[in-house]
């Protein structure tokens, strides 16, 4: 069976309020004590499986969960066991005959023994509500995850769809987000437990993956798959940033994911079942995207100016983004979370809507975009700073569009186009960093003309301007060698 649920973290200031909202007259309290098993080499976790034996009040339940879509849909198989005082023996064969169970059997075919890796001790408050034609279970979980001597607190709320349309689940969750300031966390207890067992405080950032287009997909279904693919990069990186466990690369990959998402919403809005909603989401995502870029832009500029010291420059402190919000505050904000839920809802509708002929629509879209981009690339030397910036954004959107649509394109030529675009974007990126740094320092110099560090840096940047521009123009040249890559 499939488990469709959304999980959210609760801000400390809202916990009492959320607890009161869940603890209605019809709610019930259920103690949960679970042990999670894996092999010594963690082959289940690496394959995306979680196998547990859990005491739920007065009953024992063995559950196998498989890798889901990374958003709200996951494979699950439960077996209720006879009530005994002692814990039953965990038996993987109980899941035989199910897709997840058969995959588990293959993982354990060599007879590798299962051992307890971590456990959870949770008190769950449950209530069921009907909303939008759906029956939804709301569960407030409080307790801890324990792995040896290490433990991590749990205080989260889950919304599970028991019956009815998934759109109703998203709509109800959005109401709770608006009311209580919840933020979306796609990381499961099993993922957190595995991390705890390994003694890891941080994990690698999640990078982009190509969308999986449904067989014979139409334009709307392709659009939904694009949103889904972008969200699979955005949501886990966002959860790490919101919980302050992310690193600089996590923030970078979050911004890449948001850029991919905005590109899909803007470039392919006409393929959406609701074009106006797609364009409104793209516009609304501009503000959090910009806020997340403030600290990274300062890091890039500081790296650009690092050679100044070797050139004999006086000390120069790059202006910090003191007034910029912390990335965690941006991602944990209710407004940001609601945008993610609305994007998920739009993707859900799109995936259920066939749309027009994909290859013809892709050819029309890409041919026009490629023609405009190559025209501007050829006249790069005559473009002003703003026009070059627009060209860079257009090439980024084109790159993401080709990555999204690769299954509908000519494979070898599409790879050639992507290679040329990466070279071009590297060159334009360096030119853009140079222009941003020069403009920022020029503004500071106007306010403080006596600073020798500023004067030296501006002179150094100005002296490199022609070379940077020439390098960018050369990086654009391979675009002319790309042959038609659409069908």
């Amino acid at each position: 069976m499939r488990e469709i649920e959304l999980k959210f973290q609760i801000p400390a200031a809202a916990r009492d309020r959320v607890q009161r909202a869940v603890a209605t007259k019809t709610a019930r309290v259920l103690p949960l004590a679970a042990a999670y098993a894996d092999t010594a080499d963690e082959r289940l976790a690496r394959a995306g499986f979680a196998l547990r034996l859990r005491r739920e009040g007065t009953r024992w339940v063995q559950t196998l969960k498989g890798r889901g879509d990374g958003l709200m849909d996951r494979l699950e198989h439960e077996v209720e066991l006879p009530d005994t005082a002692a814990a039953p023996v965990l038996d993987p064969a109980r899941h035989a005959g199910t897709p997840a169970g058969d995959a588990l059997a293959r993982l354990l075919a060599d007879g590798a023994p299962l051992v307890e890796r971590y456990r959870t001790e949770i008190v769950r408050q449950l209530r069921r509500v009907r909303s939008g034609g759906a029956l939804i279970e709301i569960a407030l979980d409080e307790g801890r995850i324990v792995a040896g001597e290490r433990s991590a607190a749990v205080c989260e709320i889950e919304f599970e769809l028991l019956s009815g349309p998934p759109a109703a689940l998203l709509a109800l969750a959005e109401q709770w987000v608006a009311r209580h300031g919840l933020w979306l966390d796609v990381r499961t207890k099993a993922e957190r437990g595995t991390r705890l067992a390994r003694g890891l405080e941080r994990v690698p950032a999640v990078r982009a993956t190509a969308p999986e287009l449904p067989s014979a997909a139409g334009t709307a279904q392709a659009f939904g798959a694009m949103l889904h693919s972008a969200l699979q990069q955005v949501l886990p990186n966002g959860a790490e940033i919101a919980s302050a466990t992310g690193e600089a690369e996590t923030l970078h990959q979050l911004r890449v994911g948001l850029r991919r998402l905005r590109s899909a919403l803007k470039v392919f809005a006409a393929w959406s079942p609701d074009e106006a909603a797609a364009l409104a989401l793209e516009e609304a995502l501009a503000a959090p995207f910009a806020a997340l870029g403030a600290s990274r832009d300062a890091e890039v500029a500081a790296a650009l100016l690092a050679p100044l010291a070797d050139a004999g420059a006086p000390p120069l402190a790059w202006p910090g983004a003191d007034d910029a919000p912390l990335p965690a505050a941006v991602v944990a904000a209710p407004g940001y979370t609601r945008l993610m839920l609305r994007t998920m809802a739009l993707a859900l509708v799109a995936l259920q809507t066939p749309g027009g002929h994909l290859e013809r629509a892709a050819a029309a879209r890409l041919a026009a975009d490629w023609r405009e981009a190559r025209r501007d690339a050829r006249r790069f030397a005559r473009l002003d700073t703003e026009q070059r910036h627009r060209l860079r954004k257009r090439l980024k959107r084109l790159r993401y569009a080709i990555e999204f649509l690769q299954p509908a394109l000519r494979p070898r030529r599409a790879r050639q186009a992507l290679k040329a675009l990466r070279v071009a974007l590297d060159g334009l990126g360096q030119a853009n960093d140079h222009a941003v740094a020069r403009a920022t320092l020029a503004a500071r110099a106007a306010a403080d003309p006596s600073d020798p560090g500023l004067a030296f840096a501006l002179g150094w940047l100005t002296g490199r301007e022609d070379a940077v521009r020439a390098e960018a123009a050369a990086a654009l040249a391979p675009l002319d060698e790309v042959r038609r890559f659409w069908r």
Side-chain angles (χ1 to χ4, degrees):
M1 61 176 288
R2 312 295 304 189
E3 176 188 53
I4 300 176
E5 70 174 19
L6 292 165
K7 182 163 66 67
F8 299 86
Q9 296 298 328
I10 308 166
R15 288 179 182 175
D16 289 345
R17 191 167 65 250
V18 169
Q19 191 171 50
R20 290 193 298 271
V22 176
T24 60
K25 291 181 179 179
T26 59
R28 59 193 180 100
V29 176
L30 186 64
L32 304 174
Y36 288 73
D38 202 340
T39 58
D41 58 4
E42 297 182 333
R43 64 184 67 173
L44 271 65
R46 286 187 281 108
F49 286 95
L51 179 63
R52 76 179 180 218
L53 183 64
R54 187 163 76 179
R55 182 71 166 177
E56 302 181 358
T58 60
R59 67 174 191 157
W60 290 99
V61 179
Q62 181 175 305
T63 304
L64 174 64
K65 295 195 178 189
R67 190 186 302 279
D69 64 0
L71 305 184
M72 63 177 186
D73 190 345
R74 197 173 186 198
L75 193 66
E76 179 185 66
H77 182 247
E78 286 191 344
V79 179
E80 186 168 353
L81 306 178
D83 185 14
T84 57
V89 175
L90 189 71
D91 184 0
R94 294 187 178 113
H95 306 288
T98 68
D102 293 344
L104 177 64
R106 290 191 292 271
L107 287 171
L108 300 176
D110 64 352
L114 292 168
V115 295
E116 180 181 318
R117 295 288 295 155
Y118 52 91
R119 54 192 168 85
T120 58
E121 301 165 355
I122 303 294
V123 175
R124 170 171 289 181
Q125 289 193 74
L126 288 166
R127 62 172 288 205
R128 291 184 175 184
V129 300
R130 293 195 176 274
S131 178
L135 179 60
I136 298 167
E137 186 171 77
I138 303 174
L140 173 62
D141 285 353
E142 297 179 280
R144 63 177 186 156
I145 304 170
V146 180
E149 299 297 318
R150 293 183 288 268
S151 67
V154 173
C155 182
E156 59 194 30
I157 188 166
E158 299 177 359
F159 298 79
E160 182 176 356
L161 183 69
L162 301 181
S163 64
L169 177 70
L170 290 161
L172 179 65
E174 185 177 345
Q175 294 174 21
W176 280 66
V177 168
R179 191 176 304 133
H180 302 294
L182 313 175
W183 59 267
L184 184 62
D185 190 354
V186 294
R187 302 168 302 175
T188 64
K189 290 185 182 69
E191 289 175 88
R192 293 183 63 194
T194 298
R195 185 185 306 189
L196 193 66
R198 293 175 181 170
L200 296 177
E201 293 185 6
R202 304 179 190 276
V203 295
V206 176
R207 297 177 175 271
T209 56
E212 296 182 8
L213 298 183
S215 178
T219 52
Q221 290 172 317
F223 175 76
M226 293 176 199
L227 300 189
H228 195 277
S229 172
L231 287 168
Q232 286 178 316
Q233 182 181 16
V234 168
L235 296 182
N237 286 318
E240 298 297 338
I241 294 297
S243 61
T245 54
E247 300 178 312
E249 181 62 16
T250 314
L251 177 58
H252 173 60
Q253 291 301 326
L254 171 58
R255 294 189 74 233
V256 170
L258 287 170
R259 194 181 291 117
R260 293 175 69 228
L261 179 57
R262 293 182 64 200
S263 294
L265 289 165
K266 185 168 186 175
V267 175
F268 300 103
W271 295 8
S272 170
D274 189 338
E275 183 175 358
L279 292 173
L281 278 169
E282 192 280 328
E283 184 176 355
L285 285 166
F289 178 79
L292 290 169
S295 59
R296 183 165 179 85
D297 289 347
E299 291 173 7
V300 170
L304 174 67
L305 297 176
L308 284 175
D310 296 335
L316 174 67
W318 184 260
D322 295 333
D323 58 342
L326 292 174
V330 175
V331 180
Y336 177 88
T337 301
R338 293 174 71 185
L339 288 175
M340 293 299 104
L341 294 174
R342 290 175 188 177
T343 304
M344 292 169 68
L346 183 60
L348 188 65
V349 174
L351 286 168
Q352 298 170 346
T353 307
H357 190 278
L358 179 57
E359 289 186 2
R360 284 197 296 268
R365 174 79 265 181
L366 293 174
D369 288 351
W370 188 261
R371 184 168 54 249
E372 290 181 11
R374 194 155 58 177
R375 178 201 64 203
D376 286 348
R378 287 169 176 165
R379 60 189 187 98
F380 176 77
R382 301 192 300 276
L383 301 181
D384 60 29
T385 301
E386 182 58 33
Q387 289 172 326
R388 290 172 187 164
H389 183 56
R390 285 202 297 268
L391 171 60
R392 181 170 174 247
K393 290 197 294 185
R394 182 181 294 119
L395 291 181
K396 280 185 178 181
R397 289 196 295 266
L398 189 54
R399 171 189 168 182
Y400 296 138
I402 295 172
E403 289 175 346
F404 282 138
L405 290 171
Q406 278 198 76
L409 306 177
R410 299 182 182 187
R412 289 183 61 187
R413 294 186 184 179
R415 288 194 293 270
Q416 181 194 16
L418 286 172
K419 182 178 179 180
L421 282 168
R422 291 187 185 105
V423 171
L425 285 167
D426 283 345
L428 289 178
Q430 292 176 19
N432 181 73
D433 293 344
H434 185 278
V436 170
R438 189 168 182 272
T440 302
L441 294 184
R444 283 187 66 194
D448 186 8
S450 63
D451 187 330
L454 287 172
F456 190 102
L458 276 172
W460 183 80
L461 288 169
T462 302
R464 295 193 67 245
E465 194 163 341
D466 288 344
V468 169
R469 190 176 302 168
E471 289 168 2
L476 290 166
L479 296 177
D480 268 335
E481 301 173 11
V482 175
R483 299 168 65 190
R484 170 176 169 159
F485 51 87
W486 50 91
R487 297 183 190 277

